Amino acid sequence: MDASVEAAFDAFDAAAPEGWRVELIEGKIHVVPPANGEHEEIVSEVTGQVRDHRKDYGRYTGLGLHVPGASDTGKVIPDLVIAPKGSFADDRRYHDPAPVVLVGEVTSESTADNDRGPKLRGYARAGIPCYLLIDREAGTVIVYSEPSEDRYTRAAEIEISKTVALPEPLGFDLDTSQF
């Protein structure tokens, strides 16, 4: 990675207004505005269902992950991260994705292309077992699993409002009727 891109990322990150996210994905800097209420309601619904089924997992929002496959330096902030409780009990801004069992993204007009492409590849490269993509523009939910190199070998797609199975270790059906 060009040191000037890393320096520019750090400058944007430091200057970003509260609530804005700055990510470095496949060598490109992306500045993302705060999410709207619908977006946050969806994230809240998913985290609530995870809590109801798996109390041993933490539900993290706004957590940075070091995902080398997504960029050389791997600085991404997923909408949702599910991992065993205590996995990120330090003061780092970006964390190793090794404990992550699920990463989730809810598309918006400003993030959809990254969520469907570079982040999908990056999460697979990082070996994150499950990627939950809630694509509001397409009206679908896709559960990607079984990562191999820069892709997931399994994908289950449903229309928003249906139920979709989340793979182990989560092992429950996610009800999207409230999305």
Side-chain angles (χ1 to χ4, degrees):
M1 169 70 48
D2 185 328
S4 62
V5 173
E6 184 69 28
F9 171 83
D10 290 340
F12 277 109
D13 192 39
E18 176 135 2
W20 288 66
R21 293 182 298 156
V22 181
E23 299 180 306
L24 184 56
I25 305 169
E26 293 185 344
K28 296 179 182 171
I29 298 170
H30 300 271
V31 181
V32 182
N36 64 24
E38 179 188 45
H39 179 283
E40 291 304 299
E41 287 292 335
I42 292 170
V43 171
S44 176
E45 181 62 28
V46 174
T47 62
Q49 289 187 47
V50 171
R51 181 197 60 239
D52 291 347
H53 290 90
R54 294 300 307 258
K55 296 194 183 337
D56 54 332
Y57 283 110
R59 300 153 319 276
Y60 306 93
T61 59
L63 180 81
L65 291 179
H66 177 68
V67 182
S71 72
D72 289 348
T73 56
K75 294 180 177 177
V76 298
I77 304 172
D79 291 326
L80 173 66
V81 173
I82 305 297
K85 287 182 178 177
S87 294
F88 309 110
D90 57 39
D91 63 353
R92 283 191 235 147
R93 181 103 191 268
Y94 295 92
H95 301 269
D96 181 342
V100 176
V101 297
L102 179 143
V103 65
E105 298 286 0
V106 178
T107 64
S108 61
E109 194 172 308
S110 63
T111 66
D113 289 341
N114 283 333
D115 295 341
R116 294 181 194 123
K119 283 189 169 185
L120 172 65
R121 291 187 296 272
Y123 296 147
R125 283 185 204 121
I128 295 173
C130 183
Y131 174 33
L132 176 66
L133 177 61
I134 300 163
D135 193 328
R136 294 189 292 173
E137 289 73 24
T140 61
V141 174
I142 306 172
V143 176
Y144 293 98
S145 59
E146 300 181 16
S148 177
E149 297 180 9
D150 65 349
R151 65 186 195 90
Y152 284 91
T153 60
R154 293 189 60 131
E157 182 174 344
I158 61 161
E159 292 178 19
I160 289 177
S161 80
K162 308 280 184 195
T163 300
V164 65
L166 296 179
E168 293 297 338
L170 293 170
F172 69 89
D173 290 341
L174 180 69
D175 178 2
T176 71
S177 65
Q178 298 299 309
F179 292 5

